[in-house]
Each structure stands twice: as C-alpha cells, then as structure tokens.
Amino acid sequence: MRSPVLPLTWHLTRASGRRGVQSHLLAAGAAAVGAFVMLVMIAATVGAGVRADRTAWRTPEPARNGTAVQALATTYVRGEPLTVVSLAQLPDRAATPAPPGLGTFPKKGEVYVSPALAELLHKLPAGQLAGRFPKPAPHASYGTIGEAGLASPDELVAVVGRAASDPAMSETAATGASYFDQDQAARAVVAGFSGTKQSLFTYGDQAAALLGVVLLAMPVVVLSSAAGRLGAARREQRLAALRLAGATPRQILGMTALEAAAVGATGALTGALAYVAALPALAEVPYGIGGWYPGQLWVGAEWFAGVVLAVTALITVSAVSTLRQVVSSPLGVAQQANPRRTRMIRLVLFLAALAYIWRSTGGGQLKGRDYVVLLLMFYGAFWLVGPWVVDRLGRIAARCARRPATLLAARRLSDDPRGAWRTVSGLVLAGFAAGFFSVSMLGTDGSQYRDQVAVITANAADARHAAAEARTLLDRANVNAEISVVPEDDYDSLLGGSRGIVAQISGGQARLDTAVTALASVGSGHPPYTQDYATAGDRSIVDRIADVSTATLALSFVVATASAGLTAAANVLDRRRVYGLLRLAGTPLRVLDRARVRETVLPLVVLAGGTVATGVYGSYKFNHAFGASLNVSGALELAVCVLVGALAMFAAISGSRPLLRKVTADPAQAPD
Amino acid sequence: MTNPVLAGLGLVKKYGSTVALDGVDVSVGARDSLAIMGPSGSGKSTLLHSLAGIVRPDSGTVLLRGEAIDKLSEERLSALRRKRFGFVFQFGQLLPELPAEENVALPLMLEGVPRRQAVERARRWFAPLDLDGLEHRRPGQLSGGQAQRVAIARALAVEPDVVFADEPTGALDQTTSTEVVRLLTSVTREQGAALVMVTHDADVAAHCDRVLQVRDGRISNYTQFTVA
C-alpha cells in the first residue's frame, strides 16, 4: 500500500492557512540567513587561503643555478604596508621568467605598481611616496601589476627593476639587517617565482577567519534549530491531534521531517543564492590587506552544497526532536504540562569543565588537537550552564519585578530558559572574544617609537655620516627632525640593536612619510622604517584576530537579530489566542509588547553584555600587566558594533509589533 | 431588577450583509445574572461583545451605570474593560508561564497595585473558589475546572461592575461544568457584580436569574427564573 505520509503532509501544509504560510516563511527566512552567514565565513576562510597563496611569489626561493636576484622589502605609507619586490637579472645568465602579474621580467629602472599604489602615487606628493622609487623615463609611466600578482585590489605592491649591484639588492640591505626584518625582508638568487612562503600580512588571515567560522557555527546551528522550532506549538497541536486519531509515531515523524526539510532546503538554497548574488558586494569588505577579487570568495560547489544540506539537516533534526514528546506522550504536550526546568548539575559540570581546562592548559605540553578538544569543551561548558543562568536570572528578575511586563518576561525566561539562551548564546560566546581582542594592543602599540624613522647603516662611522646626510635631506624636504646616532647595543630603540640613526619627526603622518621618502637613499640600502615596521609581526596576528572577533560579533548580531526577530514573530503566532483574550480583557498592548522585548533584552544585557565586559576587563588587566595601552579605535568599533547590534535586535523584536497588533486587533469578527 | 448596571438599547450590528444584531434591548442589574443562549451564528457573542465594549454597535447605545460607553475612545474602552469588567472565556485565557496567583494578580498590577499587595489580594479568591493550595501551580498543571476557577478569580479580582463569560463551561465535562457555573454565579452575586454569560448549555443557563434566547440577531424568548 502506498504511504499516506507524503500526500497527507502536502494536504496539511496547504491547509495550514495564512498563519501556516507565515510560519513556513519565517523558518525559510531563518534558514536563508544561516546559510548566508555560514557561506560568507567559509568564503572568507577559503578566500584568505587563496589570497595568501597569491603573495608567495614575492618571497624569493633560492635556486642553485639562479638567473636573477630578488629582494623583498617592506615600507609603509600612511601606516599601510607597501611591499617592494626588487628584481635584477644577473648578467650572462638565462632570461628569468616574468613574475606573476607582469608580462615581462622588469628591466633596470622599470617600476610596476599595483592599481591601488598607482592611485596613491597620483594622490600623494612625490616627496611622500614616489621618491622612494626610481623615476620613470621621460614620457613614460609606471607599469601595472596584474591580478595574478596581487592578493587584493587594495594591496600596495611595487616591482622594481634594478641592477644587481644596486645597494637595495645587497645581502646586508635585505636580510638580517634589522631585528624586525623577519618576514618583511628577504633576498636570494632565484630562477623563477615558485616561492611558497606567504606574506606576513596574509599568512594568518585564514586561521583567524577559521576562528570566526568556529565562533559562528554555533549561532548558525542555533538559528537553524530555532527555524526548526518555529510554529512548534501549531505543529504540536496538529500532530498531537493526529496521534490521538491513530497516526503512528513513524508517520508523524515522517510528516514533520518532510515538511521541515522542504522549508529548510528552500530557505537554505535562497540564502546560498543570495551569497552568490552578494559576491561583488562582499568583495568590497576589507579584511587585512583590503578588499577581495570576487573570484577569491567563491567557496566551490562542494562547500555550497554542503552548507545547504547541513542547514536543511539541522532544521529537520530540530523539528523532529521537538516532536519526541508528542510521539511519546500526546496528551502531555497538548496540555503543555511540563515546565522546562534546569538543574544545578549544569553548574557543577560547567565548573568541572572549567577546572579541567584550567588544569590542562597549565602544563604547556598541548598539541593542536588538544586545543581543539579543549575549545569544544569550553563551548560545551557554556552551552550547559547558559540555560541554567537564564533560568536563575528569570527567577531573580521575577522576584524583583514590580511591573507586569517585567514579571511576564521574567516568568517566560524561567519557563523556557533553553529557548532564551539559544537566542543570545552566539553573542555570549562571540562577545568574550570580541571584547578581549578588539581592545588589546598587546605587543602592537609600539608607542615608544611613535613619529620615529630608523635608518640602518653598515657601521658606526657610516652612522655619523648618515646623520649628517639625513639632516641635509630632511631640511631640504622641510621636515623638522631631531636626529640621533644610536649605538649598536641599544636594543630598546627602534633599530632593535642594529647600528644606525633614528630621526624623531614632528608634524604628523604626512611628515613622517616625507621623511621616509627623503631618507630612502641613506644608509646601507635597507629602506628606512617606522614603528609600523617594528610592530608588523605582532599586529598581523592580533589585528587579524581583532578584525575577525569584531566581524564575528557583528555577524553574530545578524544571526541573533534574525533568531530574535523570527522567534518573536513565531511566539506571537503561537500565542495569538492568549494575547487576543488578554487584549480583549483590557490588557494594554504595550504591556504585552514590553514583555516580549524584555524577554530577550534581559538575557542579552546580562549575559552577552556581561561576557563582552568580562572580555574587555580581562584584556585591560592583561595589557596593563604588560605595560601596553588599550586600542581606543578597537574599543570604539566594539562599542558601535554592540550598540548597533543591540538596536538591530530591538528593532527585529519590535518588527513583530504590527503582527501582535493584527492578531489581537479584532477578536470578534464572527457574527455569532 | 433595580437600576440596571449595564444596558444595551436598540443595538444593531452588521458584518457585511449579515445582520448580527437587529435592534436588541437588554439590561442587567447588580447581583443580577443573565444568560444569553441561541444557535451558532444567532448573534449571542456579538451581543456580549457589544455590551462589553469589544465591538461598537452600528447603532444603538450601551450604558454603564447610565454613561454611554460605545462612543468612548479605544484607549478608554480598553481601560474600562480592565477596571470595571471581568472576563471568563472558554479556555486559553491564562498565561501559561505565570503561576495561578500571578495570573489572578495581573489585572491588579496592570492597574498599578504594587505586586505584593496584588498577589495578597489575589490569594483571597482562592479559598472561596476551592483553589486552596493551587496558588503556585501553572495553568498547564491545573485541570480544566481548576483553570476556569482561576479565570473566574482573575475576572473578579478587580471587583468589576460586570462579569462577562463567553461559554465558560464549553470545554468542561458536565459535573465540572455545574460546579464552575455554580461558583461563578454565586461568587459574582456575593461581590455585587452583574453577570452576563453566553452559553449553549441550558443546564448552565438555568443557574442564571434570566435567560435571553437570541435568534437571527433578535431576542426570540425571555425567561425570568425565581431566585430561590
């Protein structure tokens, strides 16, 4: 006999009316947001890897029978890194192939620049930037580096053709001249551009983006689960009635799975297609070295299909799991007799997990896999204790509540602490990371070197000569500077123990760039550098984690906003009878509305606000202990993110106010 | 009947081409109970909703202690329903997350009564309605009859002029039904409030002082019982 599940599901779905359709639309919307956010984060991770690989050719790979000298240097303009690849064909050797992005190997004196650098060269006076490169021949202009040689359209890169005897190509100019050269300068005799070492400014991007994926995975799971639970009350009533009418548990589960999978797949596919449509816009979002080439953000068919399937599966599993109670006890669910309490054991297990993590990380003998296990345990511990905290928060708030709206909100928190936790959990977990990293300056502020330019020299005598030359050049460039010769063993200076001079510049960033440009020809051939060069190693990691943390928090807010908005709307639909009757009995709409808002705002402020504040405080203490200041701009970004996110959530919940008004507006339509 | 607490005069209400009320006159006095009966679609719920200020009649007027209420603004009507009327419905009127005593205290809190005082006042209703010991139970943990008695307590907590009951026993078995309606009529009377109740059940209606039969939007029959 043919199974009745499919036709019956189709019939019930069609017969579910406008409210049913609304519920399905909300669930599909949640699936779309979940798939979109997940694909965006995976795209950032995949794209970061592709981008980093595009930089590998710049670090020279030594070859036994090399044909050219390649030197990598890094200079900074307006605080942004500018990668300079100097190339010199060795005489009497075979021709060296063209580097990626160039048509031919550059001849001496030829300069190729990335489009972003070309724009900057056009914008800034020559004395601040162009003077660092050989002048193009009369009536000639700089060449352009193509996409193949660039990681980002915003990247500042120059390829300069030089003579092999040029000081910039010398061994001392490029390698080990400064303590801070690590990954920013290199030199080798090469036969091509098959390097595999990713640039300092991109190599950590993928790992940091992966952190974002991990942090966002849970909120997306939560959102998908919420989507699966949308309309649960309606579905529970309907299926409980079917169960009472004799439907088998298998048929009920089959119908639920079918309905949820269809809705979830539609939503997830819509979200995935929205991601494809948004690729050009997403490519404009800067990360690390800047924006993206759209192709870098395409995740590939496997990830695309995987995310759609995963979100669909999550929604289906969530919908089926909510029906376990119907299957086991239809009357119990029909009457909603079981309060959803949490037990103290959650707190005990949470503390035990924290104690275990604390003990395990103390020895310093952990491998990568151990850290992943501990991170998952940390997450799990939060997931265990979260509903317990919400439950207690609800009880405390209910004890203290003076107004009906607060009392209602507090009782609802205690009534379904898991539901309230699910809405804010993503923010709680992402909030700590964002709170900590966005304000941390540990190892990156280098404030003691502010407005300084360092020039490395070969020896002490050269340093004195360089100081005199620097005075002349800076005077000529109208830059006020105090120049000092730094002894070799002064490890606290910007020279980090190298011989040379340090110029203290006054007048701000433009003057600093002018000084760096003016001093380009002074010293051993190593480009003059500023504090940006000295702190680049640490910044490349901390900045990226801070970027990812803040972006993750922002996306968590997007997901949480969707969760909160959809859950609020679903709650209105599920509770429309009681809301309608309360309104009919004279309960002001604003009381019901305030209760709905407070139900989310209360745990949001206490839990998510609490973890963000804890992260910021922890960062403050940590930085204070190491004598570092706090990242003010990062703190501002965090504050704006939290404020905008909270307002968005508030707006999302308030978005269902018209629905509340509508379902309670006209309780007496029937003529009876 | 003494001076009526609530009166509807010449009430007319149409939904499109359907005439739900067609010039109905009705009144109810303090301690008076009135049952409205009639087949489905006869207009009995519309009559109750018109008297309670939930729907506005197309013509005619509703007087509460001599004051016309059908011209009041929606906000004032809402406040009036909250302060001077009590409501009991068939089911689903209690907030599932609030314990019984807080469900009863809610209308008082909405009126600005401090919570502790509101809950104390709410608890006073539990003994007369045979609800002792159920103060902390949630609606989901109550039987149908108990939940209806909590709803009655909530309707009476604000000490209303009129209690409106719309099929209050519709979801209950016969025995529970009789018990609930007996308590509803007696406690309402003790409080000096009027009771207007819509019901399908003649046994339930028989607990009221008077019964109105409504058919096609008009009063088709009127029965006055002798109060024992």
Side-chain angles (χ1 to χ4, degrees):
Chain A
M1 196 174 69
R2 211 176 130 209
S3 166
V5 169
L6 187 60
L8 196 54
T9 306
W10 176 238
H11 176 70
L12 288 173
T13 305
R14 282 178 58 199
S16 60
R18 239 176 70 196
R19 302 276 183 242
V21 172
Q22 281 172 344
S23 241
H24 288 141
L25 283 176
L26 289 172
V33 172
F36 179 83
V37 168
M38 216 55 224
L39 280 168
V40 167
M41 285 312 291
I42 292 171
T45 309
V46 171
V50 172
R51 255 175 27 162
D53 287 342
R54 285 261 188 99
T55 64
W57 68 270
R58 298 170 200 164
T59 305
E61 185 84 13
R64 188 167 292 174
N65 298 311
T67 55
V69 180
Q70 180 182 353
L72 168 73
T74 309
T75 180
Y76 286 78
V77 56
R78 293 294 189 266
E80 294 298 320
L82 192 175
T83 304
V84 182
V85 179
S86 296
L87 296 170
Q89 173 69 40
L90 289 172
D92 306 327
R93 302 281 174 94
T96 312
L102 267 66
T104 55
F105 189 88
K107 294 190 182 85
K108 181 189 163 193
E110 284 183 346
V111 178
Y112 291 82
V113 296
S114 62
L117 179 56
E119 201 177 309
L120 202 60
L121 282 163
H122 186 69
K123 208 166 87 182
L124 296 182
Q128 289 183 24
L129 180 58
R132 301 181 200 186
F133 307 112
K135 277 187 185 161
H139 308 298
S141 59
Y142 296 121
T144 303
I145 303 173
E147 190 184 322
L150 298 171
S152 157
D154 299 331
E155 214 185 4
L156 304 179
V157 183
V159 177
V160 183
R162 297 184 194 271
S165 56
D166 192 298
M169 309 305 288
S170 68
E171 191 103 26
T172 51
T175 49
S178 161
Y179 171 76
F180 306 114
D181 281 349
Q182 183 88 36
D183 297 329
Q184 295 193 86
R187 177 199 179 274
V189 175
V190 300
F193 300 95
S194 54
T196 54
K197 192 174 170 59
Q198 299 164 338
S199 87
L200 172 70
F201 309 106
T202 57
Y203 88 95
D205 290 2
Q206 191 171 36
L210 193 61
L211 175 73
V213 172
V214 172
L215 284 171
L216 269 172
M218 277 300 179
V220 169
V221 169
V222 167
L223 179 63
S224 304
S225 303
R229 287 182 171 86
L230 282 178
R234 179 184 57 82
R235 196 187 291 138
E236 278 176 5
Q237 278 170 3
R238 191 178 78 192
L239 295 177
L242 277 173
R243 178 96 170 89
L244 292 170
T248 66
R250 203 172 154 185
Q251 284 172 328
I252 285 180
L253 290 177
M255 288 167 65
T256 304
L258 210 59
E259 188 183 59
V263 171
T266 308
L269 194 61
T270 307
L273 291 175
Y275 146 76
V276 175
L279 275 177
L282 290 170
E284 298 295 320
V285 178
Y287 173 51
I289 52 172
W292 312 71
Y293 293 108
Q296 294 170 334
L297 290 174
W298 169 240
V299 294
E302 293 87 356
W303 278 114
F304 186 89
V307 167
V308 170
L309 286 176
V311 170
T312 305
L314 277 169
I315 287 173
T316 309
V317 168
S318 166
V320 168
S321 67
T322 56
L323 284 185
R324 277 177 316 177
Q325 284 182 294
V326 177
V327 171
S328 58
S329 168
L331 282 173
V333 171
Q335 293 171 1
Q336 297 177 348
N338 305 325
R340 290 154 181 168
R341 286 284 180 216
T342 57
R343 295 187 182 160
M344 181 70 93
I345 188 73
R346 285 171 177 270
L347 179 68
V348 174
L349 288 173
F350 172 74
L351 294 174
L354 283 196
Y356 178 78
I357 292 166
W358 180 268
R359 229 187 64 180
S360 302
T361 50
Q365 302 291 318
L366 295 173
K367 292 175 185 163
R369 195 188 300 166
D370 300 329
Y371 278 112
V372 172
V373 169
L374 290 179
L375 186 67
L376 289 176
M377 187 181 262
F378 186 70
Y379 264 43
F382 263 96
W383 270 87
L384 261 178
V385 81
W388 184 87
V389 175
V390 172
D391 193 0
R392 264 57 192 177
L393 177 67
R395 291 189 202 187
I396 291 167
R399 261 204 296 278
C400 305
R402 298 194 185 283
R403 307 221 174 256
T406 312
L407 178 65
L408 274 172
R411 289 294 185 211
R412 274 183 207 160
L413 288 180
S414 289
D415 196 52
D416 186 12
R418 290 179 193 87
W421 163 252
R422 279 194 292 268
T423 306
V424 299
S425 58
L427 295 171
V428 171
L429 297 169
F432 181 80
F436 188 91
F437 286 106
S438 61
V439 299
S440 184
M441 285 284 282
L442 203 56
T444 69
D445 58 354
S447 51
Q448 67 269 38
Y449 309 135
R450 187 164 296 150
D451 297 333
Q452 291 181 2
V453 179
V455 177
I456 294 174
T457 58
N459 52 51
D462 278 359
R464 284 191 294 276
H465 175 70
E469 195 183 350
R471 272 190 201 98
T472 310
L473 289 168
L474 291 175
D475 282 349
R476 201 177 293 160
N478 286 326
V479 175
N480 290 327
E482 276 180 35
I483 296 167
S484 47
V485 176
V486 178
E488 188 180 356
D489 54 354
D490 186 355
Y491 292 97
D492 287 337
S493 80
L494 182 56
L495 283 159
S498 300
R499 295 182 204 92
I501 61 168
V502 168
Q504 181 74 46
I505 311 296
S506 50
Q509 186 65 48
R511 293 285 178 200
L512 202 63
D513 287 335
T514 306
V516 170
T517 309
L519 299 177
S521 60
V522 181
S524 64
H526 187 289
Y529 62 88
T530 58
Q531 67 163 357
D532 293 317
Y533 191 80
T535 57
D538 291 328
R539 265 181 63 180
S540 64
I541 297 296
V542 177
D543 281 7
R544 226 55 96 234
I545 295 178
D547 285 349
V548 166
S549 302
T550 309
T552 303
L553 186 66
L555 283 173
S556 296
F557 265 117
V558 171
V559 176
T561 298
S563 282
L566 294 169
T567 307
N571 281 345
V572 169
L573 292 175
D574 287 345
R575 293 161 183 254
R576 58 186 176 275
R577 179 175 170 81
V578 71
Y579 282 153
L581 293 178
L582 282 169
R583 177 106 189 262
L584 192 143
T587 306
L589 195 66
R590 65 175 181 277
V591 172
L592 302 176
D593 202 37
R594 279 180 192 161
R596 290 177 336 109
V597 173
R598 283 174 201 179
E599 190 182 339
T600 305
V601 167
L602 214 59
L604 176 73
V605 169
V606 174
L607 292 175
T611 49
V612 171
T614 307
V616 171
Y617 180 73
S619 183
Y620 166 74
K621 296 298 280 184
F622 201 57
N623 281 264
H624 188 69
F626 286 89
S629 60
L630 287 181
N631 181 353
V632 178
S633 65
L636 269 175
E637 260 177 41
L638 177 72
V640 169
C641 176
V642 168
L643 187 70
V644 171
L647 286 175
M649 281 190 80
F650 182 78
I653 300 166
S654 303
S656 49
R657 190 177 295 153
L659 184 64
L660 175 68
R661 191 173 289 123
K662 200 173 169 189
V663 299
T664 61
D666 200 355
Q669 281 285 3
D672 186 20
Chain B
M1 187 175 66
T2 54
N3 285 339
V5 173
L6 182 74
L9 305 173
L11 297 177
V12 175
K13 180 70 186 175
K14 291 178 184 170
Y15 292 104
S17 59
T18 308
V19 181
L21 293 179
D22 190 6
V24 174
D25 293 314
V26 64
S27 64
V28 61
R31 298 173 187 275
D32 192 9
S33 54
L34 172 71
I36 304 171
M37 296 188 71
S40 294
S42 60
K44 57 186 187 298
S45 286
T46 304
L47 177 57
L48 181 136
H49 289 151
S50 299
L51 292 171
I54 294 165
V55 297
R56 292 175 197 273
D58 297 331
S59 66
T61 189
V62 178
L63 302 171
L64 177 67
R65 294 198 185 278
E67 185 193 356
I69 64 167
D70 47 282
K71 301 290 187 293
L72 294 176
S73 68
E74 190 50 49
E75 200 172 328
R76 289 191 64 190
L77 264 178
S78 186
L80 182 119
R81 292 203 297 270
R82 197 165 62 240
K83 293 174 187 172
R84 298 182 67 181
F85 294 160
F87 291 88
V88 183
F89 301 103
Q90 189 172 345
F91 66 89
Q93 60 215 293
L94 300 177
L95 282 158
E97 54 271 33
L98 292 188
E101 63 180 15
E102 286 176 5
N103 260 299
V104 177
L106 189 64
L108 295 167
M109 290 179 71
L110 287 170
E111 276 314 295
V113 177
R115 181 175 166 195
R116 188 187 295 264
Q117 211 178 314
V119 171
E120 271 171 21
R121 278 173 60 181
R123 280 187 191 143
R124 287 181 212 154
W125 291 98
F126 279 68
L129 289 162
D130 293 339
L131 289 167
D132 265 337
L134 302 178
E135 292 86 347
H136 301 293
R137 295 250 185 113
R138 288 165 189 246
Q141 297 167 309
L142 299 171
S143 69
Q146 288 168 338
Q148 280 308 73
R149 279 181 276 146
V150 172
I152 293 169
R154 188 166 79 179
L156 290 165
V158 290
E159 297 172 5
D161 290 325
V162 186
V163 173
F164 294 96
D166 194 352
E167 300 282 9
T169 60
L172 304 176
D173 62 67
Q174 192 63 45
T175 315
T176 316
S177 221
T178 306
E179 176 63 14
V180 165
V181 79
R182 186 188 60 75
L183 279 167
L184 175 62
T185 49
S186 62
V187 178
T188 308
R189 188 174 293 121
E190 280 164 27
Q191 284 306 304
L195 171 68
V196 179
M197 176 167 64
V198 163
T199 180
H200 271 101
D201 188 336
D203 291 338
V204 168
H207 285 81
C208 294
D209 302 328
R210 292 180 294 142
V211 178
L212 282 183
Q213 290 284 350
V214 181
R215 185 177 288 272
D216 298 331
R218 294 179 181 187
I219 295 169
S220 64
N221 196 10
Y222 173 86
T223 310
Q224 170 89 53
F225 296 109
T226 307
V227 178

